[in-house]
Amino acid sequence: MDPILAVGSVAFDSIKTPFGEAAHVVGGSATFFSVAASFFTDVRMVGVVGEDFGDDEMRVFAGRRIDLEGLERVPGETFRWKGEYGFDLNSRETIYTRLNAFEGFQPKIPERYRASPLVFLGNIQPTLQADVLDQVRAPRLVAADTMNLWIEHARADLERVLRRVDVLIINDSEARELAGHPNLVRAAQRIQAMGPRILVIKRGEHGVLMTRPDDGGFFAAPAMPLDTVFDPTGAGDTFAGGFVGSLAASGELTDAAFRRATIYGSALASFSVEDFGLNRLLTLSRGEIDARMAEFKRLTHFDVR
Amino acid sequence: MDPILAVGSVAFDSIKTPFGEAAHVVGGSATFFSVAASFFTDVRMVGVVGEDFGDDEMRVFAGRRIDLEGLERVPGETFRWKGEYGFDLNSRETIYTRLNAFEGFQPKIPERYRASPLVFLGNIQPTLQADVLDQVRAPRLVAADTMNLWIEHARADLERVLRRVDVLIINDSEARELAGHPNLVRAAQRIQAMGPRILVIKRGEHGVLMTRPDDGGFFAAPAMPLDTVFDPTGAGDTFAGGFVGSLAASGELTDAAFRRATIYGSALASFSVEDFGLNRLLTLSRGEIDARMAEFKRLTHFDVR
């Protein structure tokens, strides 16, 4: 079981959905990723918090396979984000983003972390993602997330870091924007030409499309149909945590391992949306994950005669 | 191999997409359904055309397992429809609908057709769908399509016919509207309570969700990722043709047969959109269908360890 180095944001999220509100709950890309991945392997987290991130907040990491040596604490407040979701949860409006402690974030990778065989670069500035890669030693796999902000305003930096990324995990709208093509098959080909040999396209309630490592085709995973979706916040980072965590646990980078990773990621994300913020992940058990993997098999299996 | 009775429209379609135009090509729900289903079994078609539907147009049915005794010819013009698709092919505007011969359509089921074990009711007025069911003798399976027009303007008639339908095949937006619930899991439960024990929800480029006959869960099939989608016209009826056709050919109504039917339907639909109107289906071979079924398996297969 290979350890994962995970770099990203740790935040206080305030969330409003049609089903209720949650104020100042612990969130952030590194948080969701690390909690999800820690079901599979050891995670070495790098991020930054302010003085307001106290013992209560630290409890979300307690008793998990999450190494916190890389979690820096600086003066001032922690990164804060507030968002509000529309009726169908597919649209989201950002009410505010206060970078706070995150504003001057310069990822410092502890010496013990530098030989991590798997690296996850959460959605932060591409130049910071590159800084992380400059500090690590020959990882077997680099996975990364990004967003429309960097595609539009830091494209050259993003393209430079993409040449060093093995697996890019992004939304369908981001894939179309990054590639400049509305068709996802064509978009995927263009993005692969930028560097990442594997592209994982998240489509929310419609599941995930992954380019297959063996033959250039696609692997498609549906989202689990759920009768209650409470809060999509963090679902993408939770997916990434299950995905990279499963790869780390398998120790293999085969076609079969990548397919299984996509389903583990989808399974973790399907739990995450069932309650506000991290709540559902914090009570989740490995037995529940295994049961949902079996349900994913029932959801998708067919035989051709 | 059980024969299928298929009732629906036969039409001249005029289509404009971002990739080109086609004027006055043969279309209609009964046409797409019958051509697709005829790859699997004998289809007994019931519909109506006008005097302008000549030998050239009849050629689309030639050499196929399609019985045309039920295709009525009446004075005047054939049903005509013109539609234009938006850039991403997900939005469609109807330019005109001219019912013509279809206006006075009263389905007359030939005596030879009345014991058909499988019945497909294309998207026509619910009272006409009921008229068809009044004329047939104890079919093993009744599958039906409907649309927002009938949900909004003929709801009582639609609810009456739904009590006699085994499999309802509709779009996701129609499912939400019929059920009055935005969540597809809840919507499916409500629709099943109206009569159909199996609900097949078409989600366009996002694939299909089917309620499972064995345990009330879902079966999810992705759409085949395609680098060129030319024209979505008829894709839904083509799906239904592959779905019901595959069930007829298997002679079974088991969970495994319904899963396979969903994939056959998806495979047929994936060909249909590759060219304008019926064009691609008219050159399609059984070998190509089998090859695409194998590609659907590669697209979706995974093993949990």
Side-chain angles (χ1 to χ4, degrees):
Chain A
M1 295 211 191
D2 296 329
I4 303 167
L5 167 63
V7 185
S9 60
V10 179
F12 282 115
D13 289 343
S14 294
I15 304 151
K16 192 171 175 187
T17 82
F19 310 107
E21 291 192 60
H24 301 296
V25 295
V26 178
S29 61
T31 309
F32 280 101
F33 178 92
S34 299
V35 170
S38 69
F39 283 98
F40 299 91
T41 192
D42 295 320
V43 184
R44 298 157 169 181
M45 201 172 89
V46 172
V48 62
V49 295
E51 295 157 312
D52 54 355
F53 202 92
D55 292 345
D56 269 9
E57 286 75 25
M58 290 299 283
R59 223 167 277 153
V60 304
F61 304 117
R64 301 182 186 279
R65 301 169 68 176
I66 302 176
D67 187 325
L68 297 169
E69 187 190 334
L71 183 62
E72 210 181 333
R73 187 180 297 267
V74 300
E77 290 197 322
T78 300
F79 179 32
R80 285 170 193 251
W81 172 84
K82 182 171 182 173
E84 186 171 342
Y85 292 86
F87 181 62
D88 66 358
L89 298 173
N90 289 327
S91 63
R92 181 170 82 180
E93 192 190 348
T94 293
I95 309 298
Y96 62 71
T97 303
R98 297 180 190 145
L99 291 178
N100 298 332
F102 203 70
E103 183 134 32
F105 181 49
Q106 288 290 341
K108 284 177 278 294
I109 312 302
E111 179 56 35
R112 287 197 303 114
Y113 289 11
R114 296 190 176 205
S116 299
L118 294 106
V119 175
F120 175 70
L121 304 172
N123 172 25
I124 55 177
Q125 264 176 273
T127 50
L128 298 186
Q129 293 179 321
D131 284 349
V132 172
L133 295 182
D134 289 341
Q135 296 175 63
V136 297
R137 285 191 287 273
R140 281 211 299 146
L141 187 86
V142 175
D145 187 8
T146 192
M147 70 188 293
N148 53 348
L149 181 67
W150 315 126
I151 295 170
E152 292 160 19
H153 299 294
R155 180 153 189 122
D157 295 333
L158 178 59
E159 287 187 2
R160 260 191 298 276
V161 81
L162 283 182
R163 289 197 282 271
R164 305 166 73 184
V165 165
D166 301 299
V167 181
L168 182 64
I169 305 174
I170 56 177
N171 294 333
D172 50 356
S173 64
E174 291 161 351
R176 290 186 168 100
E177 188 172 1
L178 177 57
H181 203 289
N183 179 284
L184 277 185
V185 177
R186 307 284 183 97
Q189 291 163 348
R190 290 188 183 189
I191 293 169
Q192 287 180 302
M194 298 178 191
R197 67 190 177 92
I198 292 170
L199 178 65
V200 180
I201 301 172
K202 297 173 289 183
R203 304 198 284 180
E205 62 172 321
H206 299 301
V208 173
L209 270 184
M210 178 190 72
T211 60
R212 296 196 297 250
D214 62 346
D215 65 359
F218 282 93
F219 173 67
M224 179 62 59
L226 298 169
D227 60 5
T228 310
V229 176
F230 242 73
D231 174 19
T233 308
D237 296 304
T238 303
F239 171 88
F243 183 93
V244 182
S246 155
L247 285 176
S250 84
E252 290 175 3
L253 298 177
T254 58
D255 185 73
F258 275 103
R259 287 168 183 260
R260 197 160 43 236
T262 303
I263 302 295
Y264 269 112
S266 303
L268 270 286
S270 75
F271 285 114
S272 177
V273 301
E274 287 182 353
D275 200 345
F276 276 105
L278 278 170
N279 286 351
R280 186 63 185 92
L281 292 185
L282 294 181
T283 64
L284 187 62
S285 71
R286 181 64 206 219
E288 289 176 310
I289 297 172
D290 293 340
R292 191 146 295 181
M293 289 299 286
E295 177 51 31
F296 264 97
K297 192 71 190 167
R298 280 194 296 279
L299 176 67
T300 57
H301 181 78
F302 66 90
D303 285 308
V304 184
R305 269 208 298 224
Chain B
M1 296 213 189
D2 295 330
I4 303 168
L5 167 62
V7 184
S9 60
V10 179
F12 283 114
D13 289 343
S14 293
I15 304 152
K16 192 171 173 185
T17 82
F19 310 106
E21 290 192 59
H24 300 295
V25 294
V26 178
S29 61
T31 308
F32 279 101
F33 178 93
S34 299
V35 170
S38 69
F39 283 98
F40 300 91
T41 191
D42 295 320
V43 184
R44 298 157 170 182
M45 200 172 90
V46 172
V48 62
V49 295
E51 295 157 312
D52 54 355
F53 202 92
D55 290 346
D56 269 9
E57 286 75 24
M58 291 299 283
R59 221 167 277 154
V60 303
F61 304 116
R64 301 182 186 278
R65 300 168 69 177
I66 302 177
D67 187 325
L68 296 169
E69 186 190 334
L71 183 63
E72 210 181 334
R73 186 180 298 266
V74 299
E77 289 197 324
T78 300
F79 179 32
R80 284 169 194 252
W81 172 84
K82 181 170 183 174
E84 185 171 342
Y85 292 85
F87 182 61
D88 66 358
L89 299 174
N90 290 324
S91 63
R92 181 171 79 181
E93 193 191 346
T94 292
I95 308 298
Y96 62 69
T97 303
R98 296 180 190 144
L99 291 179
N100 298 334
F102 204 68
E103 183 135 32
F105 182 48
Q106 287 291 340
K108 284 178 277 297
I109 313 302
E111 179 55 36
R112 286 196 305 115
Y113 289 11
R114 296 189 175 207
S116 299
L118 295 105
V119 175
F120 176 69
L121 304 171
N123 172 26
I124 56 177
Q125 262 178 276
T127 51
L128 298 186
Q129 293 179 321
D131 284 348
V132 172
L133 296 183
D134 290 341
Q135 296 175 63
V136 298
R137 285 190 287 272
R140 282 209 301 146
L141 187 87
V142 175
D145 186 9
T146 192
M147 72 188 293
N148 54 348
L149 182 68
W150 315 125
I151 295 170
E152 290 159 21
H153 300 293
R155 179 149 191 125
D157 294 333
L158 178 60
E159 288 189 1
R160 260 191 298 277
V161 81
L162 283 182
R163 289 198 282 272
R164 306 166 73 183
V165 165
D166 300 299
V167 181
L168 182 64
I169 305 175
I170 55 179
N171 294 333
D172 50 356
S173 64
E174 292 162 349
R176 290 185 167 99
E177 187 172 2
L178 177 58
H181 203 289
N183 179 282
L184 277 185
V185 178
R186 307 284 183 98
Q189 291 163 348
R190 289 187 183 191
I191 292 169
Q192 287 180 301
M194 296 178 192
R197 66 189 179 91
I198 293 170
L199 178 66
V200 181
I201 302 172
K202 297 171 290 183
R203 304 199 285 181
E205 63 172 321
H206 300 300
V208 173
L209 270 183
M210 178 190 71
T211 60
R212 295 196 297 250
D214 62 345
D215 65 359
F218 283 92
F219 173 67
M224 180 60 60
L226 298 169
D227 60 7
T228 308
V229 176
F230 241 73
D231 174 18
T233 307
D237 295 303
T238 302
F239 171 88
F243 183 92
V244 181
S246 154
L247 285 177
S250 83
E252 289 175 6
L253 299 176
T254 58
D255 185 74
F258 276 103
R259 288 168 184 259
R260 197 159 45 235
T262 304
I263 302 296
Y264 271 111
S266 303
L268 269 288
S270 75
F271 285 114
S272 177
V273 302
E274 287 181 353
D275 201 345
F276 275 104
L278 278 170
N279 286 352
R280 186 64 183 89
L281 292 185
L282 294 181
T283 63
L284 187 62
S285 72
R286 182 64 207 219
E288 288 176 310
I289 296 173
D290 293 341
R292 191 147 291 182
M293 289 299 287
E295 177 52 31
F296 264 96
K297 192 71 189 165
R298 283 194 294 279
L299 176 67
T300 58
H301 182 79
F302 65 92
D303 286 307
V304 183
R305 267 208 300 225

